Amino acid sequence: MTARKIIIDTDPGQDDAVAILLALASPEEIEVLGITAVAGNVPLALTQKNARIVCELANRTDIPVFAGCDAPLKRKLVTAEHVHGKTGLDGPTLADPKMPLQDAHAVDFIIETLRAHPAGTVTLCPLGPLTNIATALQKAPDIAPRIAEIVLMGGAYFEVGNITPAAEFNIYVDPEAADIVLKSGAKITIMPLDVTHKALVTPHRNDAFRALSTPVGEAVALMTDFFERFDKEKYGSEGAPLHDPCVTAYLIQPDLFHGRHINVEVETTSELTLGMTVADWWGVTDRPRNATFMGDLDADGFFFLLTERLARL
C-alpha cells in the first residue's frame, strides 16, 4: 500500500502533538508533506514553535513547518490556555526548537502542494481552527477538486459544546472558515466530540505511554497528565479525551471508527449557538450530504495503535 500524502494543519496543543507524533511514527501509511500552523489553542507564535518542537521530539527535523494565519477570518482570536497552559504544551519540559521555520506562508504551501501533486493524492488534516484551509480555498478555488479528502477534528452534535453550550472549540474560533470548508465540495470526514470523548486517557492507558521509557513516551504521559486535570474536573470523566489523534488514527486504521454520511452545516450568525455544527444525523432535511460525521470509536483498539506506534519513536 502506498503511503497517504498529507498536510497536517495544526495549533499545538498537547493532543495536536500526539496526533503529529502518531503520523510521524507511521510512515507505511502516512507521508507527511509538511505541517502548517494556525492560531488557535495558543497564538501563532507559539503554535508554529510547538509544531517544530514536536518534530524535533520525533527526530524528524526534515519535516517542513510553515506559519499561517494569526487570526480568524472575521473575528477576534479566542485561545485555550486554560486547557493547554501558557505554552500550549505545558507538562513536559521541552527545549526550544533548532530547526528553522520555513519562509513561505502556510496558505501558499497548501495551495502549491495541491497544485504540484496529481489531483486526488493529497489529504488535508486540520486539527485546529479551519482558517488556513478556508483561506487557501478562497485564494485558489481551483484546489478544491484536487483535495483527496479533508479529515478534520472539530464540531459536535450529541456531545454538544466544549467552549460554549452549543459549540466545539475549533469550529467556534472561526465559524466562517468552517462554513467555507464544509461548502467546498471536497470529500470531508469529521471527528467530532461525539467520537473524541470516547478516546479517554485513563490512568492505565497513560501508564502504558510512560512505560515506553522513551523521551516520546514520557513527554506524552506528562502532556496528558497536565491537560487531563481540566477535562476530568469539567466532565467528571476518568480521563481526558485525546481529540486530535483520532484524525491520524483514522488514516491508519479507519475501521476503528463508525459514522454516517450526512449534511453538516455551521451556525455563523446566532449569538446563542455561534459555531454549532448542525448535523442532520437522522436525515430529517433534504439538505445535501457533505460530510462523514463519525459517531463511535473502538477505544481499546485506538489506544493499542497509539501506544504501539509511539513506541517506534
Side-chain angles (χ1 to χ4, degrees):
M1 186 179 74
T2 304
R4 189 167 182 170
K5 299 178 187 294
I6 73 168
I7 296 171
I8 299 175
D9 188 68
T10 181
D11 61 337
Q14 291 93 346
D15 56 324
D16 303 72
V18 179
I20 294 167
L21 291 169
L22 178 56
L24 296 179
S26 306
E28 300 93 344
E29 294 91 359
I30 296 172
E31 179 185 351
V32 181
L33 301 177
I35 296 175
T36 53
V38 68
N41 284 321
V42 287
L44 181 67
L46 288 172
T47 61
Q48 55 88 356
K49 176 183 176 181
N50 291 347
R52 291 181 289 142
I53 288 172
V54 175
C55 288
E56 291 190 356
L57 179 62
N59 292 314
R60 288 297 304 274
T61 57
D62 58 304
I63 303 294
V65 176
F66 302 82
C69 299
D70 63 0
L73 296 181
K74 296 182 178 181
R75 299 178 186 276
K76 183 179 178 181
L77 178 65
V78 175
T79 55
E81 288 88 352
H82 62 290
V83 179
H84 299 281
K86 66 182 189 306
T87 69
L89 292 181
D90 281 20
T93 300
L94 299 168
D96 285 348
K98 296 178 181 178
M99 64 182 284
L101 183 68
Q102 300 298 307
D103 291 333
H105 193 281
V107 169
D108 294 326
F109 170 72
I110 292 167
I111 293 169
E112 290 164 10
T113 302
L114 285 165
R115 286 174 172 170
H117 287 79
T121 62
V122 176
T123 296
L124 304 182
C125 299
L127 309 178
L130 290 160
T131 316
N132 284 343
I133 309 301
T135 302
L137 288 165
Q138 286 185 311
K139 187 174 181 179
D142 61 286
I143 66 172
R146 303 188 67 83
I147 299 167
E149 187 174 4
I150 300 172
V151 183
L152 68 94
M153 189 276 131
Y157 190 60
F158 295 103
E159 283 287 307
V160 295
N162 64 354
I163 188 69
T164 73
E168 179 275 331
F169 177 82
N170 287 343
I171 306 300
Y172 178 78
V173 170
D174 199 342
E176 285 78 15
D179 185 54
I180 289 168
V181 170
L182 283 168
K183 292 177 178 174
S184 67
K187 180 182 179 183
I188 297 173
T189 297
I190 299 174
M191 298 292 163
L193 298 183
D194 303 273
V195 160
T196 67
H197 278 183
K198 295 172 182 174
L200 294 178
V201 186
T202 61
H204 172 74
R205 289 165 176 166
N206 211 30
D207 287 345
F209 297 148
R210 190 170 276 109
L212 296 176
S213 300
T214 62
V216 167
E218 182 65 18
V220 169
L222 289 169
M223 286 182 201
T224 54
D225 278 342
F226 178 84
F227 80 86
E228 76 169 4
R229 86 217 181 285
F230 174 80
D231 286 316
K232 287 173 75 172
E233 180 180 348
K234 178 178 179 181
Y235 298 115
S237 58
E238 58 179 334
L242 270 183
H243 306 284
D244 295 328
C246 289
V247 168
T248 318
Y250 172 75
L251 299 179
I252 300 167
Q253 196 173 337
D255 62 355
L256 292 172
F257 300 86
H258 297 280
R260 296 182 183 181
H261 190 232
I262 61 173
N263 176 268
V264 183
E265 300 198 9
V266 178
E267 178 56 59
T268 59
T269 59
S270 167
E271 291 184 16
L272 186 65
T273 58
L274 180 68
M276 181 179 182
T277 43
V278 181
D280 187 9
W281 186 258
W282 303 113
V284 296
T285 75
D286 59 359
R287 293 194 290 265
R289 299 173 183 180
N290 61 340
T292 299
F293 197 82
M294 290 301 175
D296 203 5
L297 164 70
D298 174 358
D300 288 338
F302 170 83
F303 279 98
F304 179 84
L305 173 69
L306 182 55
T307 306
E308 183 266 325
R309 294 301 171 93
L310 292 180
R312 299 175 172 189
L313 297 175

